[in-house]
Amino acid sequence: MADTRKWWKEAVVYQIYPRSFADGNGDGIGDLIGITEHLPYLADLGVDVIWLSPIYKSPNDDNGYDISDYRDIMTEFGTMDDFDRMLERAHSLGLKIVMDLVVNHTSDEHPWFIESRSSRENPYRDFYIWKDGKDGMPPTNWQSVFSGSAWEYDEGTGQYYLHCFTKKQPDLNWDNEKVRDSVFDMMTWWCEKGIDGFRMDVISMISKDPAYPEGPATDGIYGDLIPYVANGPRVHEYLKEMNRRVLSKYDIMTVGETAGVTIDEAKKYANNEGTELGMVFHFEHVDTGATTTPILGKWGYGRPDLKKFRAIMNKWQLELEGAAWGSLYLDNHDQPRMVSRFGNDCEKYREVSAKMLATMLHMMKGTPYVYQGEELGMTNFTFTSVSDCRDVEEINAYRQYVEENKVISAEELLKCFSAMGRDNARTPMQWDDSGNAGFSAAKPWIPVNPNYKEINAKAEVSDPYSVFSYYKKLIRLRHGNDIIVYGTFEPLLTDSGDIYAYRRHLDGMTLTVACSWADHDCPCDLFESLSGDELISNYGTHKPGILQPYEARAVLSPD
Ligand code: GLC
Ligand code: CA
């Protein structure tokens, strides 16, 4: 089926992590007033949509991904009036607002869970997943995504509840239709308020394998839970119901964060008929690279290999064609900074490699996502002590692997955090070179990256050669050229160890893109015989038959 035109296919999305974006009231924590003040900056950048990481009432065990009231705002972030003002201001600037929808689980402080755990007979008991233990052990050997068992024993009622994430994030029981009714009502409430869409947190995990089998133990104790909780037997049924009852009634954008998704599953979630979601985030390309061992899970610090990375990206580009819409991202609040991971963040190559990666991504098919600070080429942070860490994933890993099991030294694990930790993305947005990077008048909740004096928005906005100005141009190009949005994708140079190249095709025109991942000159003759317009490049002058270190070029020509 051909691509139907949709505003969200033509859009560029900017992700805000509110805690770290801008502090409007001087308490060291980002908030809604801070976001509102900086909306003109985003309008200037040219993005269409803002995805807000969760801003609902939350005790912040996982920075808002643990919600205790879906219809109220987190105390630190402000009030519902602040939200309404922000939404109005965004709309007046032509910016849409997409909310993070976290409904695989709630906080254990949500009234539903407080009721649920109060007794086995409570009407809310079945809102969550309660099971008896097995011989004094949890119901299964599943390890939670954030270390330790995925089951927590409740003394009061003598049963275990499932939490795929922290024990303060109990999983909702979607098999209970009252849960679905309650979630759909809440979604409708937000849609009626005028929001423009949802990013759905781990939405692939809402239907569990009813057999609750043991997983093969990876470290002698725990087993992986993903095979039993991701893409479960009823997930598509539930999303179709959500679509019918809520999504189809509004012209909104939806993107599912789909842990464990395969291409075949993605074709269902994001099918072109529009019966489930608009698009999904897959993880294959960001799961490649770090030298992971089964015991340490994701913790490693290896560099991604271009050949593996390209094979994954190309496969998704080709196989979704005509069947489903894709998303394009290299970083977000759960990933390290993309220039540090996939590019080269040394002084000499930081800017040029950040622009190269952006070109590679933004010229592909799918809706691109820009994570706050990415447009400045912000980099990873160097963690030298666990006291610098704020992320529950890092803190739990440190406890489990360094303090309890002693499978890795503190220095080694901190090195892994500096490469792969989620806190790399959560250091404050670097607005200017004043104290705390202009993020806050008070000491920020998480350390500022010391490189803010060189890397900051104030310096970049006025510099026509900055990473910021380059993103502005890329976004403008997408808005002005249908071929970037709707063109088909053709891989090139698929054996090259240095160059990522491809073509896009639409209506008798070809867009040729080549991006070097190397820190040295590489032969490349793709542009030699082309007569066309160079849409963008991160180098002012080219060498014939050569791509210079991290050089990127995109040329539009007739077929
Ligand atoms: C998603 C979020 C992540 C969160 C987790 C649990 O992966 O992106 O930040 O910790 O779900 O809600
Ligand atoms: Ca604040």
Side-chain angles (χ1 to χ4, degrees):
M1 185 172 160
D3 297 308
T4 43
R5 294 190 84 101
K6 295 277 182 203
W7 64 262
W8 42 265
K9 294 182 180 171
E10 297 167 14
V12 177
V13 183
Y14 186 92
Q15 183 192 354
I16 290 184
Y17 194 69
R19 213 174 174 77
S20 304
F21 190 64
D23 176 15
N25 69 346
D27 64 353
I29 299 174
D31 49 45
L32 299 183
I33 298 181
I35 295 174
T36 311
E37 282 168 3
H38 287 89
L39 290 173
Y41 166 83
L42 298 178
D44 177 35
L45 178 60
V47 296
D48 308 275
V49 179
I50 296 167
W51 148 29
L52 290 178
S53 275
I55 54 157
Y56 316 87
K57 189 76 88 196
S58 164
N60 279 308
D61 190 50
D62 186 18
N63 287 355
Y65 284 92
D66 49 321
I67 297 168
S68 55
D69 186 346
Y70 290 101
R71 300 182 199 216
D72 202 354
I73 302 295
M74 191 190 298
T75 317
E76 294 94 318
F77 290 176
T79 62
M80 196 55 87
D81 284 342
D82 294 332
F83 178 86
D84 293 339
R85 272 190 290 270
M86 180 193 67
L87 186 64
E88 202 189 309
R89 179 83 176 114
H91 285 167
S92 75
L93 289 165
L95 296 163
K96 296 183 189 286
I97 299 279
V98 161
M99 302 286 282
D100 215 313
L101 183 77
V102 188
V103 289
N104 172 68
H105 45 267
T106 68
S107 163
D108 66 339
E109 298 182 32
H110 193 290
W112 298 338
F113 190 73
I114 295 174
E115 291 286 330
S116 183
R117 85 184 316 170
S118 68
S119 83
R120 291 199 191 193
E121 290 73 43
N122 188 283
Y124 285 91
R125 184 68 172 179
D126 206 28
F127 261 53
Y128 296 84
I129 301 169
W130 291 96
K131 297 258 179 259
D132 292 328
K134 277 201 296 212
D135 312 320
M137 296 290 282
T140 71
N141 67 347
W142 299 354
Q143 175 164 29
S144 92
V145 176
F146 296 151
S147 314
S149 172
W151 298 94
E152 181 72 6
Y153 185 66
D154 177 58
E155 291 284 344
T157 56
Q159 283 189 309
Y160 290 82
Y161 65 85
L162 177 67
H163 60 89
C164 293
F165 297 89
T166 76
K167 63 177 186 224
K168 285 184 68 61
Q169 295 171 296
D171 281 56
L172 282 165
N173 175 17
W174 275 69
D175 298 338
N176 179 350
E177 63 169 304
K178 294 206 185 89
V179 167
R180 304 200 299 276
D181 289 346
S182 309
V183 169
F184 300 158
D185 279 356
M186 175 273 285
M187 292 173 71
T188 303
W189 186 83
W190 281 102
C191 289
E192 289 297 317
K193 231 179 190 317
I195 60 142
D196 305 288
F198 297 107
R199 173 267 185 190
M200 302 187 189
D201 193 62
V202 289
I203 201 69
S204 54
M205 289 167 60
I206 58 176
S207 165
K208 277 67 175 177
D209 182 338
Y212 286 86
E214 296 281 301
T218 43
D219 62 355
I221 313 172
Y222 295 117
D224 185 9
L225 87 180
I226 292 296
Y228 315 110
V229 300
N231 312 310
R234 298 181 70 183
V235 67
H236 297 291
E237 171 194 333
Y238 296 155
L239 289 177
K240 287 198 177 81
E241 183 183 347
M242 179 196 281
N243 185 293
R244 212 169 47 240
R245 291 177 56 186
V246 187
L247 308 178
S248 58
K249 306 206 159 108
Y250 304 91
D251 182 19
I252 56 176
M253 175 190 127
T254 53
V255 50
E257 189 212 20
T258 44
V261 73
T262 57
I263 289 188
D264 284 340
E265 285 294 327
K267 286 185 191 168
K268 297 184 201 160
Y269 287 119
N271 68 72
N272 274 354
E273 288 75 30
T275 57
E276 295 189 25
L277 304 176
M279 59 188 132
V280 295
F281 293 129
H282 75 81
F283 286 81
E284 260 196 87
H285 65 308
V286 289
D287 284 347
T288 158
T291 41
T292 48
T293 64
I295 295 187
L296 286 177
K298 79 174 209 181
W299 300 112
Y301 44 77
R303 284 192 65 76
D305 171 67
L306 171 62
K307 288 188 177 178
K308 283 192 200 142
F309 173 88
R310 182 180 50 216
I312 294 167
M313 297 296 277
N314 286 355
K315 180 182 73 175
W316 281 83
Q317 288 283 310
L318 292 171
E319 294 197 22
L320 290 191
E321 181 69 51
W325 194 252
S327 65
L328 301 168
Y329 76 98
L330 288 178
D331 57 10
N332 59 37
H333 68 294
D334 292 331
Q335 300 292 334
R337 289 285 176 181
M338 79 186 210
V339 67
S340 302
R341 183 176 186 190
F342 297 100
N344 186 335
D345 65 7
C346 78
E347 208 187 322
K348 186 164 175 205
Y349 292 129
R350 182 186 64 85
E351 291 185 65
V352 78
S353 70
K355 293 173 187 172
M356 179 278 289
L357 291 169
T359 315
M360 176 190 78
L361 200 70
H362 281 243
M363 293 293 144
M364 287 186 187
K365 187 160 188 171
T367 299
Y369 288 72
V370 180
Y371 178 69
Q372 69 182 40
E374 176 191 325
E375 77 283 14
L376 305 175
M378 275 178 63
T379 66
N380 277 356
F381 184 86
T382 305
F383 294 92
T384 52
S385 157
V386 69
S387 65
D388 290 336
C389 301
R390 297 291 177 273
D391 177 17
V392 65
E393 184 181 38
E394 289 159 21
I395 293 167
N396 287 357
Y398 192 88
R399 192 178 308 130
Q400 180 170 344
Y401 301 128
V402 175
E403 293 175 353
E404 288 166 12
N405 305 351
K406 301 191 172 47
V407 288
I408 188 171
S409 69
E411 294 67 44
E412 275 287 292
L413 191 59
L414 286 164
K415 206 166 148 190
C416 298
F417 290 170
S418 305
M420 289 299 289
R422 304 195 300 178
D423 278 337
N424 288 302
R426 301 177 181 186
T427 62
M429 177 75 179
Q430 293 166 203
W431 291 107
D432 59 37
D433 63 1
S434 71
N436 301 324
F439 163 74
S440 173
K443 185 168 181 257
W445 69 280
I446 186 170
V448 178
N449 195 314
N451 64 21
Y452 71 90
K453 300 237 183 229
E454 294 80 50
I455 306 173
N456 64 67
K458 189 162 176 231
E460 295 202 22
V461 165
S462 53
D463 172 2
Y465 301 106
S466 66
V467 179
F468 178 89
S469 297
Y470 196 86
Y471 267 82
K472 228 173 135 164
K473 185 164 180 196
L474 277 174
I475 295 166
R476 225 177 25 237
L477 283 171
R478 175 166 282 259
H479 290 151
N481 294 276
D482 267 357
I483 191 169
I484 301 176
V485 180
Y486 295 110
T488 55
F489 181 89
E490 178 201 355
L492 295 173
L493 310 183
T494 49
D495 287 330
S496 168
D498 295 314
I499 298 172
Y500 197 147
Y502 55 87
R503 290 196 193 105
R504 306 285 306 279
H505 300 281
L506 189 76
D507 298 338
M509 298 297 285
T510 296
L511 175 65
T512 305
V513 182
C515 298
S516 169
W517 278 38
D519 60 3
H520 49 80
D521 284 356
C522 296
C524 172
D525 57 13
L526 287 175
F527 301 102
E528 297 322 299
S529 54
L530 288 185
S531 59
D533 296 332
E534 181 168 275
L535 294 188
I536 195 162
S537 175
N538 57 352
Y539 273 74
T541 52
H542 306 298
K543 290 189 190 166
I546 294 280
L547 279 186
Q548 301 164 81
Y550 302 105
E551 182 167 357
R553 294 181 71 179
V555 172
L556 184 64
S557 55
D559 285 345

